[in-house]
Amino acid sequence: MDDKLTHFNKDGLATMVDVSHKETTLRYALASGKIYMSETTLEKVYNNELKKGNVLAVAQVAGIMALKQTSNLIPMCHNINILKADLNFIRKNNYIECYCEARCYGETGIEMEVLTGVSMALLTIYDMCKAVDKEMMISEIRLEEKKGGKSGHYKRIPTI
């Protein structure tokens, strides 16, 4: 594994990596994250009982919008042409799990975009529920899988 940091030029200053020599391939990434909350808050979210509206519908749109703006939010992130983006939520006992996936054809991956999508979706849930639950916690935002490019296929090994 190459552990050389690539976002610095010969003078040690930040730079956007040159990907012009890379092969254009189909890229795919999947990220996930969780937001822990009280059982009462979970019920309000899933029964659409919060004054701000349908929490998960708004969070889904926010996540996809953020995914599309990643290169404007992260300084050295390349602007890519996103071909597909989707965001889903799974209800658990004391948290909501969020999954974001996306595809593109390009010279660089789409991992940062899906991580940004998950982050913004979870922050949106937090924002819409904060009036009723001050104890919420966002955690475990991570890359689950990526395909395409020089490094090939990566899939997170589930932990217990």
Side-chain angles (χ1 to χ4, degrees):
M1 182 165 116
D2 185 8
D3 59 358
K4 180 180 149 195
L5 296 176
T6 58
H7 286 78
F8 297 98
N9 66 18
K10 63 180 176 56
D11 298 321
L13 301 173
T15 187
M16 183 181 255
V17 174
D18 181 1
V19 295
S20 62
H21 63 283
K22 289 186 169 187
E23 183 181 350
T24 299
T25 61
L26 180 63
R27 312 290 180 125
Y28 167 83
L30 172 69
S32 69
K34 299 176 182 176
I35 183 164
Y36 290 86
M37 60 185 63
S38 72
E39 190 175 315
T40 303
T41 306
L42 264 173
E43 287 298 318
K44 288 181 184 296
V45 168
Y46 279 90
N47 292 327
N48 203 15
E49 296 173 351
L50 290 159
K51 291 180 183 178
K52 290 189 176 186
N54 185 324
V55 173
L56 298 181
V58 174
Q60 182 182 33
V61 172
I64 291 171
M65 287 176 65
L67 177 145
K68 293 170 28 177
Q69 293 298 314
T70 301
S71 65
N72 292 325
L73 300 169
I74 300 175
M76 300 305 160
C77 197
H78 291 86
N79 187 14
I80 60 175
N81 186 26
I82 298 163
L83 302 174
K84 179 200 187 326
D86 197 10
L87 218 136
N88 296 291
F89 303 98
I90 298 174
R91 181 180 180 169
K92 301 290 184 164
N93 288 338
N94 63 338
Y95 62 90
I96 298 170
E97 194 160 28
C98 175
Y99 288 91
C100 182
E101 67 176 338
R103 286 187 176 81
C104 72
Y105 272 108
E107 297 78 20
T108 188
I110 195 164
E111 302 93 77
M112 295 309 300
E113 285 74 9
V114 295
L115 289 164
T116 301
V118 165
S119 299
M120 188 56 67
L122 295 175
L123 286 168
T124 299
I125 293 170
Y126 188 99
D127 178 53
M128 294 183 75
C129 297
K130 68 185 182 225
V132 297
D133 191 346
K134 305 282 191 256
E135 298 296 320
M136 289 180 293
M137 179 178 66
I138 295 171
S139 71
E140 300 173 61
I141 296 171
R142 60 192 183 184
L143 180 66
E144 296 289 345
E145 185 175 10
K146 71 168 268 342
K147 294 178 186 177
K150 182 179 171 184
S151 63
H153 187 197
Y154 163 81
K155 188 163 186 172
R156 177 175 294 285
I157 299 170
T159 56
I160 295 174

